[in-house]
Amino acid sequence: MGAGHGHRLHFHGHSPLHRAPAHLKVLGLLGFMLVVVATPRQAYGVFVAEALVLLGAVAVSRVPLTYLLPRMVVEVPFALFAVLVPFISHGPRTEVLGVTVSEPGLVAGTALLVKGTIGVLASLTLAATTEPQDLLRGLQRLRTPDLLVQIMGFMVRYLDVVTAEMARMTVAMRSRGCDPRSPRHWPVLARSLGALFIRSYERGERVHLAMLSRGYDGRLPR
Amino acid sequence: MHVPDGFLDAPTSLATAGVAAAGVAVALRGARRELDDRTAPMAGLVATFVFAAQMITFPIGAGTSGHLLGGALAAVLVGPWSAVLCLSVVLGVQALLMADGGITALGTNITLLGLVTVVVGWGVFVALRRVLPKRTALVAPAAAVGAFASVPVAALVFTGLFAVGGNAPVDLSAVVVAMLAWHTAIGLGEAAITGLVVASIVAVRPDLVHGARPLLAHRELEVREVATS
């Protein structure tokens, strides 16, 4: 709540990528990722070229890789699956480092890992260089339905308020000897989630009334 | 559970994006009926709540954990149309601002986690509400059953998509068995938490639970005579 205005992944900067209009960045990311996804599995040269384009974009953004790399942990569960694929696939066997694995599985697993990694790094670059407010304006320019952009705007605005409220509830629970992860304490956890819902809902009502009293007529001023 | 970029091939991703766009378009019309002009602020706050609730993880076994999907929970609490909007917005924000789930897989994620869980969860809930006695105490168990059903069905739909556009030569029957076993376990956690949360809200503010409103309408205003002495 008391934090800065950016969201958690945003990296403050003034690079050309930071200044670029958000709608172009979203379209660029979408186009780039569609090309990556459509790249054939064994076109390793193309993967290298795509990775270089992405790293070039990261360099232009001047967001340090040491900032982006630790944040790629969201990929871990998926990377585990990609590593498993060569072992659970069928097809002719081949030997890698003394372990027998499926050959088409190895190719597929590698491609999954490469595509997934490029995707996560590209999305992180967008998130690191784009303020939420700019992103919303960009989505508006891309003709996203107005209602959807408004809902997203409220979510972005109140994200920290509601998650901080929940964090305070969990701290209160833990300090009273309750472990929110343990199924034994689910009834307590559920009651606090219920309270969180009621508080969020009532906050929504208050926000709506406050907006009405300031002349809200169903659409936000541009 | 978020599908990343490159997991399904481009045609499948585009097809599911079409399905998701159609679903969201229908939900945009329907949500105005559920929440009238309050839609934007209310759905925004409920989306934030769903996001916060998804941070709750529960152990499944073998050292791994799952987290609440919240589709059935949101459907019972605010109605199916608003729930679709809330979950789509949550997934969109996660893809664009948190790099969680690929941008080309956003359509797939909205279809699976937004549309399928809400439709199944709400469908089962409404069917049960029709059959069960009309008592508010039964709203929570019905919601729990809906939540339980929604998770394995979403997993099955995902396996279907994987069969059509999967990028790995994996034996399909093994995938089906593994996905179903895994997501039945997640479904149990989802059902327990959904049921308990709905029960706690029904106990305090039953008027806020969209799925309980038809049952509340039966209550009539009682005017009791005050004994004058």
Side-chain angles (χ1 to χ4, degrees), chain A residues 18-211:
Chain A
H18 280 86
R19 283 196 304 269
H23 60 281
L24 293 184
K25 281 191 270 189
V26 172
L27 280 185
L29 175 67
L30 187 61
F32 175 70
M33 283 321 298
L34 275 177
V35 172
V36 172
V37 169
T39 308
R41 278 177 210 168
Q42 274 167 310
Y44 297 117
V46 185
F47 282 143
V48 171
E50 285 160 355
L52 285 179
V53 169
L54 177 57
L55 288 176
V58 173
V60 169
S61 75
R62 273 184 253 146
V63 179
L65 271 179
T66 47
Y67 178 85
L68 294 176
L69 290 182
R71 285 162 177 81
M72 290 179 72
V73 286
V74 278
E75 200 198 346
V76 167
F78 164 71
L80 283 180
F81 176 79
V83 170
L84 267 180
V85 165
F87 295 96
I88 55 176
S89 298
H90 39 70
R93 303 269 128 182
T94 177
E95 206 159 288
V96 180
L97 302 172
V99 187
T100 320
V101 294
S102 145
E103 203 176 342
L106 189 66
V107 172
T110 314
L112 280 182
L113 201 57
V114 169
K115 290 179 182 181
T117 310
I118 293 181
V120 171
L121 190 58
S123 307
L124 275 176
T125 313
L126 172 79
T129 57
T130 315
E131 294 265 15
Q133 295 311 318
D134 297 332
L135 181 74
L136 292 174
R137 240 168 275 135
L139 289 177
Q140 220 162 22
R141 290 201 64 176
L142 291 174
R143 305 277 172 86
T144 315
D146 192 47
L147 193 56
L148 224 47
V149 177
Q150 279 191 44
I151 297 177
M152 206 177 257
F154 282 103
M155 178 177 166
V156 167
R157 214 161 281 164
Y158 286 94
L159 195 60
D160 287 335
V161 177
V162 173
T163 46
E165 195 155 30
M166 195 176 80
R168 286 194 297 279
M169 286 174 163
T170 9
V171 167
M173 276 158 66
R174 282 186 203 279
S175 61
R176 284 161 181 79
C178 167
D179 173 19
R181 274 181 64 85
S182 150
R184 272 199 310 141
H185 293 144
W186 277 357
V188 185
L189 175 72
R191 266 196 291 279
S192 32
L193 271 185
L196 186 68
F197 172 76
I198 295 172
R199 288 184 193 177
S200 307
Y201 196 95
E202 289 177 344
R203 191 187 292 278
E205 283 175 338
R206 291 196 301 277
V207 169
H208 176 244
L209 288 178
M211 284 165 58

Side-chain angles (χ1 to χ4, degrees), chain B residues 215-225:
Chain B
L215 309 178
L216 295 179
H218 293 293
R219 290 185 179 171
E220 277 171 29
L221 180 66
E222 271 181 60
V223 181
R224 294 185 184 159
E225 293 292 318

Side-chain angles (χ1 to χ4, degrees), chain B residues 39-144:
Chain B
T39 308
M42 301 308 298
L45 263 299
V46 174
T48 321
F49 164 74
V50 170
F51 177 83
Q54 283 186 350
M55 289 177 164
I56 306 275
T57 56
F58 42 84
I60 307 176
T64 55
S65 59
H67 71 78
L68 199 68
L69 303 181
L73 177 64
V76 173
L77 290 180
V78 291
W81 302 124
S82 314
V84 168
L85 291 187
C86 292
L87 281 149
S88 308
V89 166
V90 168
L91 291 165
V93 169
Q94 283 172 336
L96 290 171
L97 289 178
M98 291 158 198
D100 195 0
I103 189 167
T104 55
L106 183 57
T108 316
N109 282 323
I110 291 182
T111 308
L112 287 173
L113 304 177
L115 295 178
V116 173
T117 55
V118 168
V119 167
V120 173
W122 178 252
V124 171
F125 172 76
V126 167
L128 279 178
R129 192 175 65 183
R130 206 162 286 162
V131 184
L132 291 172
K134 305 266 173 272
R135 298 214 334 257
T136 47
L138 291 171
V139 169

Side-chain angles (χ1 to χ4, degrees), chain B residues 165-196:
Chain B
N167 268 337
V170 180
D171 190 16
L172 258 190
S173 57
V175 174
V176 171
V177 172
M179 286 292 277
L180 272 188
W182 191 251
H183 286 93
T184 309
I186 298 184
L188 286 175
E190 175 102 9
I193 294 187
T194 304
L196 288 168

